[in-house]
Amino acid sequence: MPAVRTTCAYCGVGCGIRARTTGERKIEITGDRDHPANHGRLCSKGTHLGETVGLEGRLLYPEVGGKRTSWDKAIAHVARGFARAIARHGPDSVAFYVSGQLLTEDYYVANKLMKGFIGSGNIDTNSRLCMSSAVAAHTRAFGEDVVPCTYEDIDEADLVVLVGSNTAWCHPVVYQRIMAARAARGTRLVVIDPRRTETCTDSDLHLALRPGSDVALFNGLLSHCRDVGAIDSDYLARSVAVPQDFWAGLADCSLARTAELCDLPEADVRSFFNLFTAKARTVTLFSQGINQSIRGTDQGNAIINVHLATGRIGKIGTGPFSITGQPNAMGGREVGGLASSLAAHRDFAPENLAEVQRFWSSPTIAAKPGLKAVDLFRSVREGRIKALWIMATNPAVSMPDVSLVREALAACPLVVVSDCIAETDTTRFAHVKLPALGWGEKDGTTTNSERTISRQRGFLPAPGEAKPDWWAIARVAREMGWRDAFNYSRPAEIFREHARLSAYRNEGRRCFDIGGLAALSSRAYDDLEPQRWGERPFAQGRFPTPDGRARLVSVTQRALEAPLVRWPLTLNTGRYRDQWHTMTRTGLSPRLLQHRREPLVEVHPEDAASLALRDGQLARVITPQGESVFRAAVSAGQRKGEIFTPIHWTDCQSSGGRTGLLPRGKVDPHSGQPGFKQTPVRIEPLEYDWHGYAVARTLPGRIAAGYSTRARVAHGWLVELAGTRDPGPLLASLLPSGVRIESHDAARGVRRAVVSQGDSLLAAIYLTRDGSLPDRDWIASQLADLQASPVELLAGRPAIPGDDCGPIACVCFNVGERTIQAAAKAGADSIEAIGTATCAGTNCGSCRPAIARLLTELSSIELEAAE
Ligand SMILES: Nc1nc2c(c(=O)[nH]1)N[C@H]1C(S)=C(S)[C@@H](COP(=O)(O)OP(=O)(O)OC[C@H]3O[C@@H](n4cnc5c(=O)[nH]c(N)nc54)[C@H](O)[C@@H]3O)O[C@H]1N2
Ligand SMILES: Nc1nc2c(c(=O)[nH]1)N[C@H]1C(S)=C(S)[C@@H](COP(=O)(O)OP(=O)(O)OC[C@H]3O[C@@H](n4cnc5c(=O)[nH]c(N)nc54)[C@H](O)[C@@H]3O)O[C@H]1N2
Ligand code: SF4
Ligand SMILES: [Mo]
């Protein structure tokens, strides 16, 4: 089979992939050398996509009321439900909540149905939680939501500033491009993040600023630029409108004051400012540390202001670069899928309403913006939304304050969920489930962070009765009576219409104009090569505003909340390198789970000490919204006073580790984006009577333990456990029938049991009160290939001990941290030398920052020893 060229399922880098089918739902993945986003590179998640395309857990048939039904009946049910709500309560009583993981064609049809035919603005998307602050900042500064940069600017920059971005983990291929630029031209790297992440490992400077103080830092930088004559006055005079009191607003932004507000050493702030003024070719990349804040839009504008005022925009190697999270976050912005925009980069101005309505020949048009995600779910909770259709997102996990969201879903008269997975925390609330095509099956386009439109191509057969999302939406629209407007038979038709709408009466008013693609034949659409729109926006120093000028926006650092007595710490949340959001797909891959099998709460050593919290102990994390149990990881990379938890774990995997329960629904006033990165919180150590783990081929639906987290391993599961009551019922439910051997040392509080059948291991469990536990990876490996005797299994170790390679760093070659440390001690003193000695880091490269960190840690230990 020849390889099919497609685009990665995950992040907004938008890497090109070649996928070759090698058997029944078996595929081989390589990076596409001809794709401009990655030139052949892939990270760990892209590399291991093959482990996620099986049919396990898939939603294969439509369901109404929990029962399988036909598409015809399901469509009729949805159409009737929406039509009835609209007839009784008006168009604003229904809503869609969609996602940056839809393809552009799906998104276009959903937006057209809601805004042009139902006539409500109530379509919002998980992009509201993701980059709506960047959208608002772009619009304020440029007049349109346009990202001015490309990845080539990163290759050509002399200074890259990463603000609120864990690029090494979340945009790994962009990070690899930064590293390549560093190697090629000595590009300097500054990371601005309250946490010391792996992204900081190979940086020139890390500013661990006080959370939420980014406006102060960038205003300080701008004020410094003015003091040292680094402002580009010609550029300002020609291309930028400056509010009258703009410079006066920066009066109080001295270096000393900046350092104080940001809680940073003055010397570090000075180094950053000096680097910035010394290097004209600067790209400032920003993501969730900036966007997910109740000051997100101002923070974005503070960054953009500096670039405009120093003329570092529209030229090679420069610009403020908001990197997007999801594969098609940008496509969603282009079609206008946010409640705050109309269509194709148009807002709700009267002339736009008329224009779009004429283009769609639609009976009506949404007259005003709809409800933004947080307000939308509040409205559902208050009973004002009677029918809600959720597509390609898992809000019961990913919204702030998910307890409220769950109450809302439980109370809503009609909840429709389109997903490719049958059981998610959200599908549990669905009255109607519609099976969607997943990655590898669906067909259409996505736009990545640098505005490159790429094809996602299907190369696997549609499983069961799963259908493309656009097809389901169009069927519902036709059933509701709009037959002609939704008479699509293939994505190419939808794409052409979208392209035409972008160009319709545009006449250069909006940068987003892909009219050149409106006449693509279906064949040419199928063969479409990656296309970037707007080659270098703003190169001429003209902006899509009425006077053609960009705008400096006066922003001031708003006061930061002081710690509260009951909630003395601040909760920061974010991502792990090898998991994607709510784990519906990456959670299927044993390899990817090796990096982190459990959700951890990272705590600064001094905070841990004052709470008497030990590394590895379980702890309860509590906010006014909710609480959840996490395993503590004491980490000097945390800022004092701040703790961090990952967003990925759900009820489907874990009894604890549920970050979604914790953040509040407080939002940025301009964008409506929630401040996920800062929630007042407290944390309490937990004492359990026993803890341990089990491995098993299959698991019961409910695990009878105070705390449990399950992770997939080859041929089964590994479950972390802790509890206070008698573990008898737990053992009874976890251990299947078979040949069972057991040991129980009541005095030491140790219980172990192993069940096997023939020459395979079915399950094994190891519990202890306070003793040590056997090596998890060795026990788990026996599920795949039983080598050990029953006695060895019960002992939890082989008679002749093998090497314990430590936590896995390189998931491509299964190389553990101890193996890497041993190679380093034997003389391998660079990432390359470690690669030669162990293979680690020589495939996808996602673990190279981890290797660099291990090398740095080791050399600092050696230094200390030498002193
Ligand atoms: N592995 C992986 N990659 C992903 C995803 C995934 O789920 N897993 N998801 C994708 C998506 S949708 C998105 S949106 C992106 C997100 O990509 P990122 O934005 O890089 O990821 P986060 O971990 O959410 O947050 C980034 C950093 O912001 C920092 N931060 C917190 N508060 C502040 C602050 O006040 N100021 C500053 N300067 N920084 C702060 C955090 O400490 C954190 O390290 O990742 C994409 N890529
Ligand atoms: N505390 C906290 N919360 C956060 C964040 C944070 O940093 N901190 N980050 C926020 C951000 S930036 C984001 S982007 C969100 C992400 O949060 P979600 O969007 O809720 O997370 P996903 O797990 O990606 O959910 C996508 C769902 O769509 C399904 N799916 C995949 N492809 C398709 C398809 O083609 N069609 C259909 N119909 N379904 C499909 C998947 O199986 C999955 O159930 O989380 C947000 N929530
Ligand atoms: S960086 Fe990784 S997850 Fe993102 S698109 Fe590329 S391969 Fe996929
Ligand atoms: Mo996101």
Side-chain angles (χ1 to χ4, degrees):
M1 277 283 238
V4 172
R5 291 176 66 204
T6 184
T7 317
C8 179
Y10 301 116
C11 83
V13 179
C15 296
I17 279 183
R18 286 174 190 261
R20 216 166 55 81
T21 311
T22 56
E24 170 92 12
R25 294 199 84 89
K26 288 210 161 48
I27 56 169
E28 197 180 84
I29 297 279
T30 49
D32 183 353
R33 264 169 284 114
D34 301 322
H35 197 289
N38 57 321
H39 301 297
R41 299 180 184 103
L42 290 179
C43 79
S44 48
K45 292 180 296 301
T47 301
H48 295 105
L49 266 167
E51 286 191 26
T52 66
V53 294
L55 292 187
E56 189 186 339
R58 284 293 296 267
L59 176 63
L60 297 173
Y61 305 99
E63 285 177 21
V64 173
K67 292 202 186 64
R68 180 174 164 182
T69 185
S70 66
W71 267 105
D72 284 345
K73 288 199 175 124
I75 294 288
H77 188 94
V78 175
R80 219 180 309 121
F82 272 75
R84 191 178 301 146
I86 295 163
R88 290 196 189 148
H89 307 282
D92 289 333
S93 68
V94 302
F96 294 165
Y97 183 59
V98 304
S99 159
Q101 292 168 76
L102 290 175
L103 298 174
T104 298
E105 293 73 8
D106 305 321
Y107 233 132
Y108 177 86
V109 178
N111 191 53
K112 178 177 176 183
L113 173 57
M114 183 52 79
K115 296 199 179 122
F117 289 78
I118 292 176
S120 167
N122 285 345
I123 170 171
D124 210 34
T125 136
N126 62 359
S127 290
R128 180 70 57 198
L129 321 176
C130 187
M131 35 35 23
S132 56
S133 294
V135 172
H138 290 153
T139 310
R140 289 205 296 188
F142 310 141
E144 182 180 343
D145 172 27
V146 177
V147 174
C149 301
T150 70
Y151 298 148
E152 278 146 32
D153 291 321
I154 297 173
D155 307 338
E156 300 290 331
D158 292 322
L159 170 65
V160 172
V161 184
L162 300 175
V163 201
S165 166
N166 188 2
T167 325
W169 282 14
C170 298
H171 297 93
V173 167
V174 160
Y175 181 77
Q176 290 182 19
R177 285 180 86 142
I178 299 171
M179 288 298 118
R182 226 162 137 66
R185 57 185 294 142
T187 302
R188 311 295 289 272
L189 179 63
V190 177
V191 182
I192 300 168
D193 189 317
R195 289 193 303 152
R196 186 166 182 83
T197 62
E198 268 181 13
T199 302
C200 306
T201 313
D202 192 21
S203 63
D204 295 289
L205 184 63
H206 168 217
L207 300 181
L209 82 177
R210 189 197 308 273
S213 65
D214 298 80
V215 168
L217 184 65
F218 281 87
N219 277 354
L221 173 60
L222 186 51
S223 166
H224 172 83
C225 287
R226 194 170 62 141
D227 293 347
V228 301
I231 300 295
D232 187 340
S233 320
D234 289 345
Y235 189 77
L236 284 184
R238 258 184 299 119
S239 300
V240 185
V242 184
Q244 220 173 21
D245 49 359
F246 182 82
W247 296 109
L250 297 179
D252 203 14
C253 298
S254 68
L255 195 141
R257 176 91 181 113
T258 304
E260 186 193 318
L261 284 171
C262 301
D263 190 25
L264 288 168
E266 261 189 62
D268 286 357
V269 176
R270 184 172 298 114
S271 305
F272 171 44
F273 290 2
N274 288 340
L275 251 180
F276 193 91
T277 43
K279 307 281 178 197
R281 282 192 175 197
T282 309
V283 173
T284 306
L285 285 154
F286 61 99
S287 53
Q288 299 314 347
I290 288 299
N291 297 337
Q292 285 175 342
S293 162
I294 56 168
R295 309 164 199 85
T297 306
D298 283 356
Q299 291 176 168
N301 282 115
I303 293 170
I304 296 170
N305 282 344
V306 174
H307 277 269
L308 285 171
T310 54
R312 298 180 196 202
I313 187 167
K315 306 188 184 92
I316 293 175
T318 70
F321 196 168
S322 149
I323 32 175
T324 47
Q326 299 177 91
N328 199 31
M330 290 285 267
R333 281 147 74 166
E334 288 156 13
V335 304
L338 286 154
S340 39
S341 70
L342 178 61
H345 280 204
R346 291 172 179 86
D347 63 15
F348 288 82
E351 64 275 18
N352 289 338
L353 294 177
E355 212 169 87
V356 174
Q357 186 173 359
R358 196 173 321 119
F359 180 85
W360 279 337
S361 310
S362 69
T364 170
I365 190 104
K368 58 177 197 314
L371 293 166
K372 302 186 177 107
V374 172
D375 289 336
L376 176 73
F377 280 95
R378 280 196 190 123
S379 229
V380 176
R381 173 75 186 73
E382 287 157 13
R384 277 179 280 136
I385 301 284
K386 317 282 182 192
L388 174 66
W389 189 350
I390 297 166
M391 307 174 204
T393 176
N394 197 354
V397 181
S398 56
M399 284 287 295
D401 195 0
V402 296
S403 304
L404 181 142
V405 169
R406 288 167 181 226
E407 282 172 25
L409 292 172
C412 185
L414 177 61
V415 177
V416 182
V417 179
S418 295
D419 208 295
C420 20
I421 301 294
E423 282 296 315
T424 72
D425 290 15
T426 299
T427 60
R428 287 176 184 177
F429 294 94
H431 303 107
V432 182
K433 292 197 218 177
L434 300 177
L437 293 185
W439 184 82
E441 299 149 9
K442 58 185 186 178
D443 195 37
T445 56
T446 60
T447 309
N448 72 4
S449 293
E450 58 155 8
R451 308 181 313 280
T452 296
I453 298 174
S454 298
R455 288 281 278 115
Q456 261 198 25
R457 295 184 173 93
F459 51 90
L460 292 168
E465 292 176 6
K467 292 285 184 189
D469 290 298
W470 64 261
W471 181 90
I473 305 159
R475 280 286 314 267
V476 168
R478 296 213 298 269
E479 185 76 20
M480 290 176 79
W482 299 301
R483 304 207 157 265
D484 297 339
F486 293 89
N487 194 16
Y488 304 112
S489 56
R490 51 190 306 167
E493 294 165 10
I494 305 169
F495 184 82
R496 285 191 288 262
E497 184 179 315
H498 164 57
R500 273 196 291 121
L501 177 55
S502 75
Y504 185 63
R505 306 208 166 178
N506 189 336
E507 284 129 30
R509 278 185 294 149
R510 294 175 304 274
C511 297
F512 178 63
D513 181 344
I514 54 168
L517 298 173
L520 277 188
S521 69
S522 296
R523 176 70 182 280
Y525 173 82
D526 285 343
D527 296 341
L528 190 72
E529 287 291 320
Q531 299 264 328
R532 186 154 59 216
W533 64 261
E535 203 39 51
R536 182 169 291 286
F538 317 148
Q540 264 60 55
R542 303 239 354 127
F543 292 82
T545 50
D547 61 4
R549 288 161 180 270
R551 276 149 182 58
L552 291 184
V553 181
S554 295
V555 290
T556 45
Q557 177 65 49
R558 278 195 274 152
L560 298 173
E561 289 168 283
L564 305 163
V565 180
R566 278 194 69 206
W567 316 104
L569 302 173
T570 303
L571 173 69
N572 176 10
T573 61
R575 291 157 170 79
Y576 281 169
R577 189 187 80 192
D578 290 352
Q579 290 304 327
W580 177 261
H581 297 163
T582 70
M583 295 171 82
T584 58
R585 291 170 290 159
T586 45
L588 298 168
S589 161
R591 265 184 198 275
L592 290 178
L593 274 156
Q594 284 179 307
H595 180 243
R596 292 276 189 283
R597 287 206 178 105
E598 233 186 327
L600 305 175
V601 52
E602 285 166 59
V603 187
H604 186 271
E606 285 176 35
D607 291 329
S610 72
L611 291 156
L613 178 65
R614 298 183 306 276
D615 188 59
Q617 185 179 12
L618 290 167
R620 196 189 309 281
V621 176
I622 312 167
T623 71
Q625 290 68 240
E627 56 177 70
S628 197
V629 175
F630 293 78
R631 193 172 300 282
V634 176
S635 158
Q638 274 306 122
R639 254 183 83 93
K640 197 165 165 306
E642 229 206 8
I643 63 176
F644 178 87
T645 62
I647 61 173
H648 308 293
W649 275 263
T650 72
D651 282 359
C652 296
Q653 293 103 9
S654 177
S655 74
R658 297 281 291 94
T659 290
L661 296 162
L662 306 172
R664 55 188 170 183
K666 212 169 163 180
V667 302
D668 176 89
H670 307 283
S671 67
Q673 179 155 0
F676 280 124
K677 298 294 191 243
Q678 266 182 283
T679 307
V681 67
R682 72 169 184 272
I683 172 168
E684 296 167 353
L686 281 176
E687 297 296 344
Y688 284 102
D689 291 344
W690 48 263
H691 68 274
Y693 71 91
V695 299
R697 256 165 220 282
T698 56
L699 287 182
R702 220 189 74 76
I703 295 173
Y707 169 84
S708 69
T709 322
R710 52 181 82 187
R712 214 167 287 261
V713 293
H715 298 273
W717 299 87
L718 170 64
V719 196
E720 294 296 330
L721 297 161
T724 32
R725 280 190 303 249
D726 170 25
L730 170 71
L731 267 68
S733 70
L734 270 183
L735 299 176
S737 52
V739 182
R740 174 161 168 170
I741 56 168
E742 232 173 315
S743 72
H744 187 179
D745 179 343
R748 284 171 51 226
V750 177
R751 262 183 104 148
R752 293 181 172 187
V754 174
V755 181
S756 56
Q757 193 165 53
D759 49 11
S760 60
L761 173 65
L762 298 184
I765 185 164
Y766 303 86
L767 303 179
T768 176
R769 188 188 307 136
D770 43 23
S772 59
L773 291 160
D775 174 26
R776 289 164 172 78
D777 287 293
W778 182 71
I779 301 288
S781 73
Q782 302 300 311
L783 273 182
D785 178 16
L786 182 60
Q787 296 284 331
S789 69
V791 177
E792 288 175 308
L793 280 175
L794 209 56
R797 59 173 180 273
I800 304 161
D803 294 334
D804 174 5
C805 66
I808 300 293
C810 169
V811 299
C812 293
F813 294 111
N814 261 336
V815 187
E817 293 196 355
R818 290 211 190 119
T819 310
I820 293 170
Q821 283 158 338
K825 282 186 192 137
D829 57 358
S830 65
I831 300 180
E832 279 62 39
I834 295 283
T836 312
T838 68
C839 284
T842 57
N843 186 42
C844 78
S846 281
C847 64
R848 290 166 71 92
I851 299 173
R853 175 177 49 80
L854 290 169
L855 287 173
T856 322
E857 284 167 8
L858 214 62
S859 65
S860 63
I861 294 169
E862 277 165 11
L863 273 178
E864 274 169 34
E867 270 163 15

